[in-house]
Amino acid sequence: MRLGHRPERDKRITTHVGLVARAFGAEEMILAGRDERLVSGLEDVVHRWGGEFRVRSVGSWRGEARRWKEAGGRIVHLTMYGEPISEKMDEIRSSGDLMVVVGAEKVPAEIYEMADWNVGVGNQPHSEVAALAVFMDRLWEGEELAREFSGKIEVVPSPRYKTVIERPEGEGG
Amino acid sequence: MRLGHRPERDKRITTHVGLVARAFGAEEMILAGRDERLVSGLEDVVHRWGGEFRVRSVGSWRGEARRWKEAGGRIVHLTMYGEPISEKMDEIRSSGDLMVVVGAEKVPAEIYEMADWNVGVGNQPHSEVAALAVFMDRLWEGEELAREFSGKIEVVPSPRYKTVIERPEGEGG
């Protein structure tokens, strides 16, 4: 779940958060706040590149977080003020369904209370995009990067060239 | 080295690239293109949060890359079209001084030729901020997050609160 999105200022950062969530194995992105253009931009990536990723824009992050916890899910909030990721990862990895919360510059104090873990990907200022990526890379222990997305477009890894397969409509995943 | 920066459109993404480079242990960021405001914003972070990180804005990325290679350095270009990071990391880690190149949406074809490695942090579209962070996290095997920056400001990791130490001018690193 992405908090604190300001449509004009944050559109590219929030888009990167969404792309990272998808590419690193999340099932869904919840965007706190309304931004239909951003949602449809991400949906367009899913349409072309494949996978089952969903994007949902919601009015109240509190309602989402509360329902998630009532249903038995856990919440990890990524913040530079939190405990070291390396110390908490084993516990987090074995805890079942997980909602990962990333904020923008300011987040409501309440999320620190609602989260089961407040963890920092380091304690230096950097980027919610980076924090999410490193968190998920460590959560899945690198296996997320080998996932198949079965999209209409697919990259063939190459040491030197851009090699892309484009499947005609109807054949892709 | 950050390529393809467009001052208005990319200012926040490029700032995140710089913050990630610093927080994950790079010595310097080279920004291809002029953007004095962005450079001074990053320098201000170094001033307050510590460390030895430098930021340089240059006119020609080619000149920088060429001089780097002539001096014996190696170049790794992060691109979604590249070979899997997991297959190349051992070789890269043992290769000495490294320049990591990240682009924006379009990068000059030439960089694919100049790079010693073109590697992908996955082959899905996501974010140069994420790619850089995961690359460096794997390069240093997580040790980068435990580095001391000895800044005027420092976070005390906490499970629940924002705890920050601010040292008066002159006492900080």
Side-chain angles (χ1 to χ4, degrees), chain B residues 8 36-38 40 64 68 109 121-122 129 131 161 164 167:
Chain B
E8 211 29 62
E36 289 311 321
R37 259 183 79 184
L38 194 145
S40 67
E64 289 295 324
W68 179 258
V121 177
V129 180
Y161 304 105
V164 175
R167 296 186 183 84

Side-chain angles (χ1 to χ4, degrees), chain A residues 6 9-10 12-13 16 19-20 22-24 45 49 80-85 105 107 112-118 121-130 133-134 137-138 141-142 144-145 149 155-164, chain B residues 6 9-10 12-13 16 19-20 22-24 45 49 80-85 105 107 112-118 121-130 133-134 137-138 141-142 144-145 149 155-164:
Chain A
R6 295 153 297 181
R9 188 170 151 85
D10 293 328
R12 297 200 56 231
I13 296 288
H16 282 219
L19 292 173
V20 164
R22 171 184 172 277
F24 286 76
V45 171
W49 288 88
M80 62 182 280
Y81 301 101
E83 294 182 288
I85 181 183
E105 277 158 42
V107 295
Y112 285 85
E113 297 297 329
M114 289 185 83
D116 296 282
W117 300 274
N118 291 285
V121 177
N123 298 106
Q124 293 292 319
H126 54 85
S127 167
E128 57 270 40
V129 179
V134 170
D137 190 48
R138 293 197 182 188
E141 297 174 299
E144 79 286 353
L145 298 184
F149 284 82
V155 165
V156 182
S158 157
R160 208 54 82 184
Y161 304 105
K162 289 190 184 184
T163 317
V164 175
Chain B
R6 295 153 298 181
R9 188 169 151 85
D10 294 328
R12 297 198 58 230
I13 297 287
H16 282 219
L19 292 173
V20 164
R22 173 185 171 275
F24 286 76
V45 171
W49 289 87
M80 62 181 281
Y81 302 101
E83 294 182 288
I85 181 182
E105 277 158 43
V107 294
Y112 285 85
E113 297 297 330
M114 289 185 82
D116 296 282
W117 300 275
N118 291 286
V121 177
N123 297 106
Q124 293 291 319
H126 55 85
S127 167
E128 56 271 39
V129 180
V134 170
D137 189 48
R138 293 195 182 190
E141 299 176 298
E144 78 287 352
L145 297 184
F149 284 81
V155 165
V156 182
S158 158
R160 205 58 78 184
Y161 304 105
K162 289 190 185 184
T163 316
V164 175

Side-chain angles (χ1 to χ4, degrees), chain A residues 63-94:
Chain A
E64 289 295 323
R66 205 171 287 144
R67 276 191 295 281
W68 180 258
K69 292 200 75 165
E70 282 167 9
R74 312 292 292 273
I75 296 178
V76 53
H77 172 219
L78 302 182
T79 162
M80 62 182 280
Y81 301 101
E83 294 182 288
I85 181 183
S86 53
E87 290 175 14
K88 294 290 158 184
M89 193 42 103
D90 290 344
E91 192 182 318
I92 292 171
R93 196 182 289 117
S94 61

Side-chain angles (χ1 to χ4, degrees), chain B residues 1-15:
Chain B
M1 181 156 71
R2 160 68 159 173
L3 300 188
H5 171 68
R6 295 153 298 181
E8 211 29 62
R9 188 169 151 85
D10 294 328
K11 62 185 170 187
R12 297 198 58 230
I13 297 287
T14 300
T15 296

